[in-house]
Amino acid sequence: MGVEHRRTQRHEELAQFLRAMRGRLLPQDVGLPDVGRRRTPGLRRQEVAQLAAVSVDWYIRLEQGRVGMPGTGVLDALAGALRLSPAERQHLHVIARGQAPVARHISLPVGASLRVMLDGMPLLPAYIVDFRLDILAHNNAAAALFGEDFGTGDAGNAARLLFLQTRMRAMQLDWAHVARETVGNLRATLARRSDDARLRELIAELRAGSTEFAAWWDDHTVKQRAHGTKRIRHPVVGELTVRYDTLATLQGAEHSMIVVTPADAAAERCLRELMVNRVSSLTGPDVHSIVAQTVRPEATGGRERPEGVPRRGPGRR
């Protein structure tokens, strides 16, 4: 009895949603001629059925709650016919099937606000990747920690860096853990994006170039890289322990921001020293004043401050 009650509620909610969505559209909104007077605003049921390529009788029964669980393809056809937004499409799948659909990938550049956010964290290495782990943008602190080539050329993909670049592998003292996690991430992504040719090319390249990747890929490890702790050996500042967190955006492009934070005071000093060294080595407009102003004098260990880093005067904190 309880199961039937839940099913009836779900069907009624679906029917109300479909009626509301077709009620807000005019024939000209969907490329149909406006023929005859309409007793109620919006599209007729037969027009929605025509646009979605389903039978009129089936669609009528769907709105009346007399149809079983619709397939995902049919729901996507209805979403297209009703001109639903990505959020509305997801809602349609949830109320009709009880589960969210696979999100459609939207190819978008990194937004200006995300770039401002990156630059606004001058001492925290941060970078933005897409679902293929291509590095789309990064801040100065990321370049200071991972190298000036980070995010460019052969170093433009985080998985390729990890498995195919000797220098990056040597830096990662917990390489096996991080690398296996990356394999699991790519396998989970491939399940959602099996039709993406570039993703498949990347996986084939990694399987051919790394015996560890090939072995871990074949054992079907599935993981989502969300957060963790790892140790890094940097050629300038030595060993430091950091944490990393993955923050996902919701605009449909599947961009994620990965932020590295110090796990202790020693790691914080190391990150500050790396930024002091980088500010010292760079000149010109690319050096952001916010970086220089944030570096504390004590991070230099009493050494001369780089140009652009103000000396703390009497009474200043």
Side-chain angles (χ1 to χ4, degrees):
M1 188 71 177
V3 173
E4 178 66 25
H5 176 67
R6 286 195 298 271
R7 187 179 71 86
T8 301
Q9 275 191 327
R10 174 171 58 79
H11 283 191
E12 180 56 32
E13 184 176 1
L14 174 61
Q16 292 176 2
F17 181 71
L18 291 172
R19 288 195 295 267
M21 293 300 100
R22 69 179 174 87
R24 70 182 183 176
L25 293 174
L26 297 174
Q28 53 265 38
D29 295 333
V30 294
L32 293 177
D34 189 1
V35 180
R37 285 188 63 183
R38 293 172 185 265
R39 290 178 296 177
T40 57
L43 296 179
R44 298 186 175 104
R45 287 169 172 170
Q46 55 265 40
E47 290 170 333
V48 175
Q50 174 187 340
L51 292 168
V54 299
S55 74
V56 177
D57 177 66
W58 181 88
Y59 183 76
I60 291 173
R61 288 189 291 112
L62 179 66
E63 279 203 4
Q64 292 174 343
R66 297 190 292 117
V67 173
M69 184 181 293
T72 57
V74 173
L75 291 175
D76 279 341
L78 289 173
L82 295 168
R83 304 300 192 262
L84 300 188
S85 69
E88 290 165 342
R89 170 180 173 261
Q90 176 165 321
H91 183 68
L92 174 65
H93 278 258
V94 170
I95 60 177
R97 297 182 57 83
Q99 58 190 33
V102 174
R104 292 169 176 163
H105 175 63
I106 303 172
S107 181
L108 294 174
V110 176
S113 59
L114 285 177
R115 291 184 181 274
V116 170
M117 196 180 302
L118 285 176
D119 285 340
M121 297 186 290
L123 294 179
L124 298 180
Y127 54 99
I128 295 172
V129 298
D130 62 11
F131 66 89
R132 305 180 193 95
L133 301 184
D134 286 338
I135 301 166
L136 307 178
H138 65 279
N139 63 7
N140 290 323
L145 179 62
F146 297 120
E148 293 298 326
D149 63 339
F150 182 71
T152 63
D154 291 338
N157 179 275
R160 189 179 289 115
L161 260 175
L162 195 60
F163 282 96
L164 303 182
Q165 192 177 93
T166 305
R167 179 182 64 83
M168 183 61 68
R169 178 166 180 160
M171 283 183 64
Q172 302 285 343
L173 297 180
D174 302 300
W175 182 86
H177 172 76
V178 176
R180 192 176 180 87
E181 189 178 65
T182 301
V183 176
N185 180 285
L186 287 174
R187 180 168 282 287
T189 300
L190 184 63
R192 303 193 316 272
R193 300 294 174 204
S194 59
D195 58 344
D196 189 83
R198 285 180 53 202
L199 177 61
R200 288 190 170 277
E201 289 170 5
L202 171 66
I203 292 169
E205 177 188 359
L206 294 174
R207 292 190 70 178
S210 169
T211 55
E212 292 97 339
F213 185 96
W216 291 333
W217 184 263
D218 289 340
D219 74 10
H220 291 261
T221 296
V222 176
K223 291 187 177 181
Q224 288 291 355
R225 185 182 184 188
H227 58 86
T229 301
K230 63 181 180 179
R231 296 170 300 144
I232 293 176
R233 180 184 290 122
H234 194 276
V236 175
V237 297
E239 185 175 325
L240 63 157
T241 302
V242 298
R243 298 186 180 96
Y244 57 91
D245 290 275
T246 302
L247 313 174
T249 64
L250 297 176
Q251 86 282 41
E254 290 193 72
H255 292 167
S256 299
M257 179 183 291
I258 300 174
V259 183
V260 177
T261 54
D264 50 38
E268 182 179 3
R269 287 192 297 271
C270 288
L271 292 177
R272 289 183 180 279
E273 183 176 344
L274 287 174
M275 281 308 300
V276 168
N277 292 340
R278 191 168 192 273
V279 170
S280 299
S281 65
L282 295 178
T283 59
D286 289 336
V287 181
H288 297 285
S289 61
I290 188 172
V291 175
Q293 292 168 2
T294 309
V295 176
R296 296 174 183 170
E298 55 267 29
T300 64
R303 297 188 296 274
E304 183 178 349
R305 292 168 181 77
E307 183 180 354
V309 179
R311 184 179 298 276
R312 189 159 45 178
R316 293 183 63 183
R317 294 184 180 274

